[in-house]
Amino acid sequence: MKTVDGRQWATREDLIEHSGYGETTLKRLWRDRRANGHPGAREIDGVLHWELELWDTWFAQQRQRDRDLSGVDRSGDPDEQLPPAGQARVLGVDPARITQYAKTPPPGWPDPVRVEELKTRVREYRTRAQLWAWVDDPVSGFGTKGGRPPGPDPKARARAAKTLDTRVQLAVEALAAMPGKKAGEVAAALAERHGQGVDMWKRIVTQARKQVQQ
């Protein structure tokens, strides 16, 4: 960080360390600054910096709005591996819902990053970053505070389908531009370029590959 006129200014790397959020999330927030009111940046030594105190105030308000709108807790380490109870706390739902998701996954529900074998069952772990990406994916249907998908809405479904079609087309173009790259590498590039989680883009890349092969 740099101090200018008694105020601290932070680079994006500083904000990642300061906030515990990943680069993809912070880039998405900056990209959508016209809509979310993200503080402006100042170029220092050729690198974008944000006034830390001003950014902290805005970021706290942004997280509170997220909680108010969806019940989702977006604080904490994005890469921390959470058991079902922790996943439920992040999503603001009853733990029984996570158990239900393991048996009947909703659209786009991310694969676990780790599975712990217990005597009578298995315990699936997912990261906060996976859960946030799933919530932000319109195809997931996570549209109410209780984590219950909204009722039938043809217009909403049409919008979600259109969004998915657009992303599949982006993935098709990326596959053509990066021949020989693994799905994970293409997904990472798309996440970096367009925001959202790598896991979500992996599923879309898989769908795009099937479409190309047809």
Side-chain angles (χ1 to χ4, degrees):
M1 295 190 191
K2 293 184 179 294
T3 301
V4 179
D5 297 330
R7 294 179 294 173
Q8 279 190 303
W9 294 81
T11 63
R12 179 169 287 122
E13 288 71 23
D14 293 330
L15 293 177
I16 291 170
E17 183 176 354
H18 177 71
S19 68
Y21 279 66
E23 182 177 15
T24 298
T25 298
L26 296 187
K27 282 187 173 181
R28 174 174 57 80
L29 291 170
W30 174 244
R31 181 197 66 198
D32 298 337
R33 57 190 177 276
R34 288 187 179 180
N36 61 32
H38 194 295
R42 171 178 180 176
E43 192 171 302
I44 302 176
D45 297 333
V47 179
L48 289 180
H49 286 67
W50 290 266
E51 186 183 348
L52 186 59
E53 184 177 355
L54 181 62
W55 189 89
D56 269 341
T57 300
W58 168 82
F59 192 58
Q61 294 171 346
Q62 183 75 16
R63 287 193 301 176
Q64 186 59 51
R65 275 197 300 272
D66 287 337
R67 291 193 185 97
D68 292 343
L69 290 173
S70 67
V72 176
D73 181 359
R74 295 182 184 263
S75 62
D77 180 1
D79 298 321
E80 183 181 1
Q81 297 179 6
L82 302 174
Q87 297 170 43
R89 282 194 295 272
V90 169
L91 296 177
V93 301
D94 189 278
R97 186 167 296 278
I98 304 301
T99 302
Q100 178 186 336
Y101 285 174
K103 298 175 182 177
T104 310
W109 184 241
D111 294 330
V113 294
R114 177 165 63 92
V115 176
E116 183 179 0
E117 296 285 346
L118 304 176
K119 288 184 178 181
T120 58
R121 58 191 173 87
V122 297
R123 180 181 292 145
E124 296 181 344
Y125 288 78
R126 292 174 178 81
T127 65
R128 285 189 175 87
Q130 284 183 298
L131 299 172
W132 296 333
W134 178 72
V135 167
D136 292 336
D137 185 351
V139 180
S140 72
F142 192 93
T144 65
K145 186 171 183 179
R148 295 178 295 276
D153 182 346
K155 291 183 180 179
R157 287 183 178 179
R159 287 194 299 269
K162 184 177 180 180
T163 299
L164 180 59
D165 288 344
T166 300
R167 290 175 177 172
V168 170
Q169 184 57 40
L170 289 171
V172 168
E173 294 170 0
L175 287 168
M178 295 183 282
K181 293 289 186 180
K182 296 180 180 178
E185 294 173 315
V186 178
L190 287 164
E192 179 73 18
R193 194 175 307 154
H194 302 289
Q196 306 296 338
V198 174
D199 285 334
M200 183 199 74
W201 281 109
K202 282 182 181 178
R203 294 192 295 273
I204 294 174
V205 168
T206 299
Q207 185 169 342
R209 278 182 166 170
K210 292 178 181 178
Q211 181 172 306
V212 170
Q213 292 169 358
Q214 290 177 350

